[in-house]
Amino acid sequence: MMTSFLFRALDARAGLFLIILLALTVAIPASNLLLPETSPLHVPTYAVTLMGKYLTYALLALSVDLVWGYCGILSLGHGAFFALGGYAMGMYLMRQIGSRGVYGDPLLPDFMVFLNWKELPWYWYGFDMFPFAAIMVLFVPGLLAFVFGWFAFRSRVTGVYLSIITQALTYALLLAFFRNDMGFGGNNGLTDFKDILGFDVQADSTRAGLFIASGLALALCFLLCRALTRSKLGKVLVAVRDAESRTRFLGYRVEHYKLFVWTISAMMAGIAGALYVPQVGIINPGEFSPANSIEVVIWVAVGGRGTLIGPVIGAVLVNFAKTWFTAALPDIWLFALGGLFLGVTLFLPKGIVGTVSQGWSALRQRSASAAYEAGSDEPPGSPDAPADVSHKRASSDASPQPAE
Amino acid sequence: MSLLRSLALVIGLLVVALGAGSVPAAAQNDTESLRPLINALADGKYKETEKQIGDLAATGNPVVAPALEALSDGDLYFRKSDKQVFITSKSGEGYALTDPLTLESAGEAGKREVSKIKVNNSLRRVIRSALGSLTLMAADPKVRKEAAEAVFKAKDPDAIEGLDTAIAKETNDEVRLVMEQARAAAVLNSDRSDGEKLEAVEVLSSMGNRDALSLLIGVRDSSTGDLQAAAATAVKRIEKTLALWDNAQNIWYGLSLGSVLLLAAIGLAITFGVMGVINMAHGEMVMIGAYVTFMVQEVIRNSAPGLFDYSLLIALPLAFLVSGAIGVGIERGIIRWLYGRPLETLLATWGLSLILQQAVRSLFGPTNREVGNPDWMSGAFEIGQMTVTYNRMWIIFFALAVFAGLMLVLKKTPFGLYTRAVTQNRRMAASMGIRTPWIDALTFGLGSGIAGIAGVALSQIDNVSPNLGQGYIIDSFMVVVFGGVGNLWGTLVGAMTLGVVNKFLEPYAGAVLGKIFVLVFIILFIQKRPRGLFALKGRAVEA
Amino acid sequence: MSRQTSLLYLDGVSVSFDGFKALNDLSLVIAEGEMRAIIGPNGAGKTTMMDVITGKTRPDTGEVYFNGVVDLTGEDEAAIAELGIGRKFQKPTVFESHTVWDNLELALKAPRGPFATLFHVISGGEKKRIEDLLELIRLGDKRNELAANLSHGQKQWLEIGMLLAQDPKLLLVDEPAAGMTDAETAETAELLKDIAQTHSVVVVEHDMTFVRSLGVKVTVLHEGSVLAEGSLDHVSADERVVEVYLGR
């Protein structure tokens, strides 16, 4: 059962994508560590870190796409799950500092000493242990998503209403984390990390390791999403996206499906946040800002929602452009980003991958039907292999439809 | 402590005296007759000086106050050559001279040419009480009242006698009351008998405001016996009334916040509520309205400063037109391609909001722009124990007026009829000859234009910066969704409710936490009633 | 007929929206294996009645029982569907970005939970069942076509196929012939009669020819309650029915 579940995830396209991803995951750190700096193929450490950051963004985009592209839930608050995962990791990294902080307190992080706190708040307990922190990276965003989703989906809050309250959710968290007495460093957040699992966070090898971890996490989550969306559950999700009440009248409890995929997605966002924090070296409440979450949505839209490769490509492309613009033409960046929102929704609703694969499958369909008419004995798509059929149709199958 | 208090008294009196000094024209004639009295200060020992101060005080003319003040501060000098007395201040090597009566500049003098009129502490006390009784007996009742209030703040026991004299002479009831209260405050601060203090507690108890309360709490905590009991009762009484006033003040603040929310949300109630278009650039329409106000004021400042008080009235129609025109442009250019795809509309308009923000940032710079308050928008007045600022008050009126105007337009004009027809049944409306695309564009323009005039109002209480709109967008959506989409009355009630709830939470939870509570409350509320407070029911809603 | 022996039992059901009474003291009983046609002018409450039976709308008052014992007013749509009530909408609603095959697979009677579907692998029996249904609704050669690319009539048929895939005891069919050609309408009537051999069916329809071709008991709704009941000839002879339809 489990094997068929996982094998379903793989086909030529997904395989190709994974091979490229894994090759990069190995090659980039290898060139950074093994090649001399003079070599033209040497990747400098800052670039490794930057690309590692892109990979975590890609994972975040993937998690948004899982709910938006496949289930029609447009989340404007996924940044909240990302940031919560990041804070969980940040708390671990803070406690690793130990007595090396400015104030040298063996137990309390610097900001607590500064605020004159005498003891560690209870919710900081356990974060000195990596396994505990790793569980919290999944558990905290997952729990918030579950509780929020439980209420929202049960009362059938859908469409823009849901989008707006997800935005309110992250906004409320933004305000909360700005407060000093929340015990998460207020305005400044958590920073000045020293080491992770005993390795210096600044070291080239640690950076390379984090890059590899990000690449692997992305690959695993991609596989998971692939398996999810190609199962019967995935078909139900698309059914919910396209005709929610029809799905209900067929006897599916739509809210359970939404809650399931929403919680998984939030946990993926949490993992992305946890990998992001040690690479950029800081987590602060700004990550909760609603604008961030909306930006993630545009990465997905640019790449192509309802395709799993699209959001990865979109996240990397848009962030590469952002890095370039903000360095070269900082004033233009917001115009460009705004233009991207407009351009994609008006002219490229299927995104890059959606548009390309639509063209591709139209082409293939034409040649297939030509072959059929020429007397091929096998009609396109044999009834013996329905799973295979749906895969052949996968591109158009996944063509984004508006949720309402 | 007592030194500080007396300083406060002196400063208060000085302000009052200076204010008064410029007013009375009738007193101007006597001014010169006072000069000999002032100049008399030039010779004489401490003893004589004391008498001379008494003489000056006995004139009851506040014009002499600055001279006495300067004397107390050691700034009163006389010119050795002609024994003329001047108020001085250091200027380079020598002194700048000021005429003690007219307060006009009287040239300069070298260090050697003038000599200081000496004072000691006992003289200073005499001066202070002289100054007190001087202003307490001024001709202008306003001055007398303010003088009494200054005594109240200073609680200076030395002022009691002066007050007694002043109360005896006082003809104005209101001023006498203030004087009695000031006397009570001073008595409680003195070492007079408990009997007198009990009377004073009585007076303060009926005064019933925060100042009286803090005085009485002091008395309660530092005295014994009857006095303590009386003070405690009085404290309880005042606290009770103050709690009521606090609620009133909270409601007022809440309504004020609610009216701001209403202004920000009301345009959205049209575009989102009535048309179903989710416009994330709504906040930027508000921001543009605020910048229109800024530009109008700039033009007025440069070319017609006299019109400044009318700047807001001029800005209103302009902001409506500018934001409205941009709204029509957005509808024609972007939104009409996205009808029926709310999530795409959301994203596209968000992109638009980024572009508009950056455009304004490029044009006007990223910093806050100064938008002035016209005279009628600044200042405050008091009702009982609560303070009402004019700008908040006008904004409440303005928000309600905009709401009423909008209702009128939607219910009573052909345009409103068409709008309602189109939003209810587009095809039917079209087949009856209504140009639905135009109605869409104009309705959207109306919503945006209203956001623009909201910007004019908000420019009076908020920083005018490119980020102005962002601060309102989430709140506005909350209000519209909370009130019930498609229901303008819901928006009104929603805005006011959220405003008041927010302000009542603030004292317990703090501003930020209060806001978080409200957000969480709305999130939970939407779960319970997904269609808002005043939801429309029935089949049509589901479609 | 008593509640216990009925398949569907509505008694005194009222629903109002903001003062407008969509259903007014409606009572209706459907027996096991029965096929019933429901007619009525616009706004008579036909769709609201369907909404009440399938759990989309809660009645203000009244009883709704299925199988004589199950109180439907306390259940949601999914539970009611699982009990064995299938519904076809007025406007054909199929999953447009799924193939015809996938549409049927989703509708097929099987465990409905997320974990069950996550690890679901299609069985030979299920494939056989889908093949049979494709045969029945005459979409065998369209199995790999996206539902979006079907004609209006084909979508109606696909939806009926999905209904059958659920293997319900009771089918609620809302205007199945709307927008069909005459030939398609006749075929649809035949299909429904076939289905009625093994299921109970409630058909809401405007088209009198269609109702006549079904040849079953007819209930006339008007202003949210039953105006007349009996054979089509019987009800069309009823003065009040004529009045309602012709608005004399």
Side-chain angles (χ1 to χ4, degrees):
Chain A
M1 192 165 81
M2 208 59 202
T3 43
S4 69
F5 170 68
L6 280 178
F7 269 102
R8 195 159 44 194
L10 279 168
D11 67 346
R13 208 146 60 128
L16 184 66
F17 172 79
L18 278 177
I19 288 168
I20 295 174
L21 177 63
L22 291 174
L24 285 175
T25 304
V26 175
I28 289 174
S31 105
N32 172 254
L33 294 176
L34 303 179
L35 295 177
E37 275 182 36
T38 49
S39 159
L41 290 176
H42 174 81
V43 182
T45 307
Y46 84 88
V48 173
T49 304
L50 193 65
M51 285 188 274
K53 194 174 87 171
Y54 291 170
L55 288 179
T56 63
Y57 282 155
L59 181 52
L60 175 60
L62 189 67
S63 75
V64 170
D65 185 42
L66 184 63
V67 285
W68 185 34
Y70 288 90
C71 201
I73 306 169
L74 174 55
S75 166
L76 299 182
H78 252 53
F81 305 127
F82 180 80
L84 285 174
Y87 265 98
M89 177 57 87
M91 286 161 82
Y92 163 73
L93 295 171
M94 280 313 261
R95 299 223 35 199
Q96 289 310 106
I97 297 174
S99 54
R100 285 169 294 174
V102 178
Y103 296 104
D105 191 297
L107 189 63
L108 296 186
D110 278 347
F111 72 88
M112 290 190 195
V113 182
F114 183 75
L115 289 174
N116 248 333
W117 289 20
K118 294 298 170 228
E119 46 192 299
L120 202 63
W122 59 268
Y123 46 84
W124 276 76
Y125 290 148
F127 277 96
D128 49 335
M129 293 173 288
F130 184 80
F132 179 81
I135 290 169
M136 285 299 130
V137 162
L138 291 173
F139 181 74
V140 175
L143 181 72
L144 176 68
F146 186 84
V147 171
F148 178 85
W150 172 267
F151 286 113
F153 300 139
R154 204 187 44 164
S155 23
R156 303 193 183 169
V157 181
T158 54
V160 287
Y161 290 88
L162 189 78
S163 302
I164 290 171
I165 61 168
T166 55
Q167 193 177 23
L169 174 77
T170 191
Y171 185 56
L173 284 167
L174 169 78
L175 294 176
F177 272 74
F178 265 124
R179 290 163 52 85
N180 274 330
D181 37 355
M182 276 287 284
F184 296 108
N187 231 340
N188 303 319
L190 310 175
T191 187
D192 289 335
F193 307 132
K194 302 287 188 231
D195 49 30
I196 177 168
L197 290 171
F199 302 102
D200 178 7
V201 283
Q202 304 293 341
D204 283 4
S205 55
T206 317
R207 300 258 158 170
L210 286 168
F211 178 89
I212 293 175
S214 305
L216 285 179
L218 179 60
L220 278 175
C221 288
F222 176 83
L223 263 182
L224 175 75
C225 288
R226 190 86 188 157
L228 279 178
T229 53
R230 291 166 64 87
S231 68
K232 189 175 176 188
L233 174 125
K235 289 178 192 171
V236 178
L237 292 181
V238 172
V240 170
R241 180 190 75 188
D242 291 349
E244 179 167 336
S245 69
R246 177 78 238 164
T247 319
R248 244 183 247 285
F249 284 117
L250 279 184
Y252 290 100
R253 283 199 194 276
V254 169
E255 55 273 25
H256 291 181
Y257 280 83
K258 284 183 170 175
L259 190 58
F260 177 77
V261 72
W262 173 253
T263 308
I264 292 214
S265 164
M267 288 160 122
M268 276 167 52
I271 296 174
L275 288 164
Y276 168 86
V277 168
Q279 300 193 65
V280 299
I282 184 168
I283 174 82
N284 62 27
E287 297 295 336
F288 285 105
S289 131
N292 279 12
S293 296
I294 298 193
E295 214 179 300
V296 182
V297 173
I298 205 64
W299 305 340
V300 178
V302 167
R305 69 176 142 132
T307 69
L308 291 173
I309 299 173
V312 174
I313 293 176
V316 173
L317 278 184
V318 176
N319 280 294
F320 180 75
K322 185 177 188 173
T323 309
W324 185 80
F325 264 110
T326 42
L329 301 161
D331 287 348
I332 305 297
W333 168 240
L334 277 183
F335 283 124
L337 185 64
L340 206 55
F341 273 98
L342 284 174
V344 167
T345 44
L346 287 174
F347 305 115
L348 203 67
K350 290 167 198 293
I352 296 171
V353 172
T355 308
V356 168
S357 69
Q358 189 185 34
W360 176 246
S361 75
L363 209 69
R364 212 160 51 157
Q365 200 166 16
R366 207 174 307 152
S367 65
S369 62
Y372 181 50
E373 271 165 29
S376 154
D377 46 17
E378 182 81 357
S382 120
D384 297 333
D388 196 43
V389 169
S390 67
H391 131 229
K392 275 190 187 158
R393 312 276 337 170
S395 54
S396 35
D397 191 318
S399 66
Q401 295 280 328
E404 286 173 306
Chain B
M1 192 62 217
S2 94
L3 187 76
L4 270 181
R5 246 191 264 130
S6 13
L7 205 66
L9 170 71
V10 164
I11 290 170
L13 290 179
L14 182 64
V15 169
V16 169
L18 285 176
S22 56
V23 184
Q28 206 67 41
N29 301 334
D30 322 326
T31 305
E32 284 311 312
S33 65
L34 293 171
R35 196 167 295 280
L37 281 174
I38 295 236
N39 283 342
L41 287 166
D43 40 26
K45 307 233 156 31
Y46 290 140
K47 198 101 185 220
E48 286 163 52
T49 312
E50 189 177 336
K51 186 181 164 291
Q52 286 154 355
I53 291 169
D55 291 345
L56 277 170
T59 63
N61 191 333
V63 174
V64 300
L68 288 174
E69 193 49 47
L71 178 61
S72 167
D73 293 345
D75 285 337
L76 205 64
Y77 284 66
F78 65 90
R79 195 150 59 195
K80 288 174 184 166
S81 56
D82 55 0
K83 300 244 166 165
Q84 285 280 333
V85 172
F86 294 100
I87 299 172
T88 63
S89 58
K90 272 228 157 60
S91 157
E93 283 297 297
Y95 294 96
L97 306 181
T98 309
D99 187 292
L101 292 171
T102 62
L103 300 180
E104 282 157 7
S105 175
E108 301 203 355
K111 242 180 175 175
R112 306 274 166 111
E113 295 170 47
V114 291
S115 172
K116 185 173 171 176
I117 302 170
K118 295 194 180 83
V119 281
N120 60 9
N121 275 343
S122 90
L123 266 184
R124 284 203 182 89
R125 202 173 307 127
V126 175
I127 294 171
R128 212 163 53 225
S129 70
L131 274 170
S133 53
L134 191 62
T135 42
L136 281 170
M137 283 179 276
D140 186 352
K142 209 174 129 200
V143 176
R144 298 201 297 274
K145 189 178 165 199
E146 283 172 19
E149 279 163 357
V151 174
F152 183 93
K153 286 211 178 73
K155 303 186 274 286
D156 183 357
D158 294 341
I160 296 177
E161 279 161 26
L163 275 167
D164 282 339
T165 333
I167 290 170
K169 281 192 186 166
E170 187 56 62
T171 50
N172 183 321
D173 287 347
E174 193 193 333
V175 178
R176 187 180 319 117
L177 184 65
V178 178
M179 286 178 172
E180 279 165 358
Q181 288 164 349
R183 183 179 185 280
V187 164
L188 286 176
N189 197 32
S190 69
D191 43 13
R192 300 212 171 196
S193 72
D194 275 11
E196 264 188 87
K197 285 190 177 177
L198 272 176
E199 274 173 39
V201 166
E202 204 56 39
V203 172
L204 288 179
S205 162
S206 56
M207 188 176 169
N209 66 8
R210 229 165 277 279
D211 294 333
L213 181 66
S214 62
L215 269 176
L216 287 168
I217 288 176
V219 172
R220 185 192 63 189
D221 295 346
S222 65
S223 60
T224 50
D226 281 355
L227 186 57
Q228 188 185 32
T233 328
V235 165
K236 262 193 203 128
R237 222 189 88 195
I238 295 180
E239 273 174 348
K240 216 161 138 191
T241 24
L242 279 183
L244 283 177
W245 280 112
D246 268 353
N247 283 340
Q249 181 89 62
N250 269 339
I251 290 174
W252 173 254
Y253 284 148
L255 291 180
S256 160
L257 176 66
S259 66
V260 170
L261 291 175
L262 179 64
L263 274 175
I266 196 166
L268 203 68
I270 301 203
T271 52
F272 179 48
V274 177
M275 295 178 74
V277 170
I278 179 150
N279 180 17
M280 298 298 275
H282 177 79
E284 278 56 47
M285 301 290 125
V286 176
M287 183 259 290
I288 287 170
Y291 272 92
V292 169
T293 319
F294 164 69
M295 283 171 61
V296 166
Q297 290 199 347
E298 279 296 281
V299 172
I300 286 179
R301 258 190 214 117
N302 294 333
S303 53
L307 287 176
F308 189 76
D309 272 356
Y310 301 98
S311 59
L312 295 188
L313 295 181
I314 299 168
L316 280 179
L318 282 176
F320 182 84
L321 289 178
V322 172
S323 289
I326 293 178
V328 171
I330 293 173
E331 201 279 341
R332 288 288 83 188
I334 297 166
I335 288 169
R336 73 163 154 155
W337 308 106
L338 298 169
Y339 278 119
R341 291 157 67 194
L343 299 182
E344 271 91 343
T345 314
L346 190 158
L347 294 177
T349 50
W350 175 265
L352 194 71
S353 84
L354 293 181
I355 292 176
L356 288 174
Q357 273 176 45
Q358 186 59 34
V360 169
R361 204 172 283 132
S362 306
L363 284 173
F364 295 93
T367 49
N368 291 347
R369 285 303 178 152
E370 169 84 28
V371 172
N373 294 12
D375 281 345
W376 49 273
M377 282 289 275
S378 33
F381 62 94
E382 288 195 0
I383 302 177
Q385 303 300 323
M386 76 188 215
T387 315
V388 176
T389 53
Y390 279 107
N391 58 0
R392 296 272 165 184
M393 185 188 77
W394 284 117
I395 283 176
I396 292 183
F397 286 148
F398 181 66
L400 293 176
V402 170
F403 180 80
L406 187 63
M407 280 310 243
L408 222 63
V409 167
L410 285 183
K411 299 276 181 205
K412 301 284 180 200
T413 64
F415 168 70
L417 184 66
Y418 292 164
T419 304
R420 283 179 292 141
V422 170
T423 51
Q424 275 169 32
N425 191 333
R426 174 172 302 274
R427 277 167 58 195
M428 194 63 209
S431 57
M432 294 186 70
I434 298 174
R435 287 177 193 276
T436 55
W438 275 110
I439 294 296
D440 287 336
L442 289 179
T443 313
F444 197 83
L446 175 68
S448 305
I450 288 178
I453 58 179
V456 177
L458 296 184
S459 75
Q460 294 296 304
I461 50 170
D462 204 343
N463 296 327
V464 178
S465 77
N467 302 328
L468 172 78
Q470 276 202 313
Y472 289 103
I473 186 72
I474 292 185
D475 286 337
S476 309
F477 271 112
M478 289 296 123
V479 166
V480 175
V481 171
F482 177 67
V485 173
N487 187 327
L488 282 179
W489 285 106
T491 306
L492 175 69
V493 176
M496 293 301 171
T497 314
L498 291 182
V500 172
V501 168
N502 212 335
K503 286 295 168 188
F504 269 90
L505 278 176
E506 266 179 22
Y508 306 103
V512 177
L513 215 53
K515 189 157 177 140
I516 296 171
F517 283 148
V518 169
L519 278 177
V520 171
F521 163 74
I522 296 174
I523 291 175
L524 290 175
F525 178 85
I526 294 176
Q527 325 274 353
K528 203 76 207 151
R529 301 194 60 165
R531 305 278 159 184
L533 207 53
F534 298 95
L536 301 168
K537 273 197 271 174
R539 250 166 53 179
V541 177
E542 299 282 326
Chain C
M1 190 171 15
S2 78
R3 194 184 96 192
Q4 271 69 28
T5 56
S6 69
L7 180 68
L8 181 68
Y9 178 90
L10 278 76
D11 188 28
V13 174
S14 296
V15 174
S16 62
F17 299 125
D18 288 337
F20 166 72
K21 284 219 158 193
L23 290 184
N24 188 9
D25 199 21
L26 173 76
S27 300
L28 182 77
V29 181
I30 308 287
E32 181 102 40
E34 184 186 354
M35 182 170 187
R36 175 78 62 91
I38 296 189
I39 60 174
N42 276 330
K46 302 181 300 269
T47 302
T48 308
M49 182 195 76
M50 295 269 209
D51 284 349
V52 166
I53 297 170
T54 52
K56 190 176 176 185
T57 303
R58 298 246 177 281
D60 299 336
T61 55
E63 297 179 328
V64 185
Y65 281 92
F66 183 62
N67 254 346
V69 286
V70 186
D71 181 2
L72 294 184
T73 57
E75 307 286 341
D76 67 358
E77 294 101 315
I80 291 172
E82 290 242 61
L83 281 171
I85 299 183
R87 176 176 181 182
K88 200 200 88 56
F89 289 93
Q90 193 167 339
K91 189 171 152 244
T93 341
V94 292
F95 304 122
E96 306 224 327
S97 45
H98 279 315
T99 59
V100 169
W101 180 282
D102 283 347
N103 265 286
L104 290 171
E105 191 192 335
L106 282 174
L108 218 52
K109 192 177 176 71
R112 295 297 205 215
F115 293 100
T117 53
L118 181 57
F119 298 111
H120 177 85
V121 181
I122 194 160
S123 69
E126 284 180 324
K127 280 184 199 168
K128 173 82 177 47
R129 177 103 179 91
I130 295 175
E131 288 293 334
D132 291 349
L133 284 167
L134 282 171
E135 186 93 7
L136 184 69
I137 58 174
R138 295 159 213 198
L139 288 174
D141 55 340
K142 299 272 186 192
R143 68 185 69 206
N144 297 319
E145 201 69 54
L146 284 189
N149 301 338
L150 298 180
S151 75
H152 182 82
Q154 286 169 329
K155 282 183 192 168
Q156 298 272 34
W157 280 52
L158 174 57
E159 201 179 0
I160 293 174
M162 289 164 71
L163 225 61
L164 291 173
Q166 279 177 268
D167 195 18
K169 285 192 188 131
L170 172 67
L171 282 82
L172 304 175
V173 187
D174 203 348
E175 301 202 19
M180 283 188 170
T181 61
D182 284 353
E184 282 175 329
T185 307
E187 284 188 63
T188 307
E190 286 310 308
L191 178 64
L192 281 178
K193 278 198 267 186
D194 276 354
I195 294 169
Q197 308 273 315
T198 46
H199 302 82
S200 306
V201 183
V202 173
V203 185
V204 168
E205 188 50 77
H206 271 310
D207 184 339
M208 284 302 163
T209 338
F210 181 82
V211 173
R212 187 170 299 279
S213 64
L214 292 176
V216 296
K217 189 172 168 186
V218 173
T219 300
V220 185
L221 288 192
H222 175 58
E223 289 178 350
S225 46
V226 176
L227 188 67
E229 213 165 62
S231 71
L232 186 61
D233 292 329
H234 170 79
V235 296
S236 34
D238 191 310
E239 284 265 324
R240 290 171 306 160
V241 175
V242 176
E243 189 174 350
V244 164
Y245 266 88
L246 300 180
R248 188 167 39 189

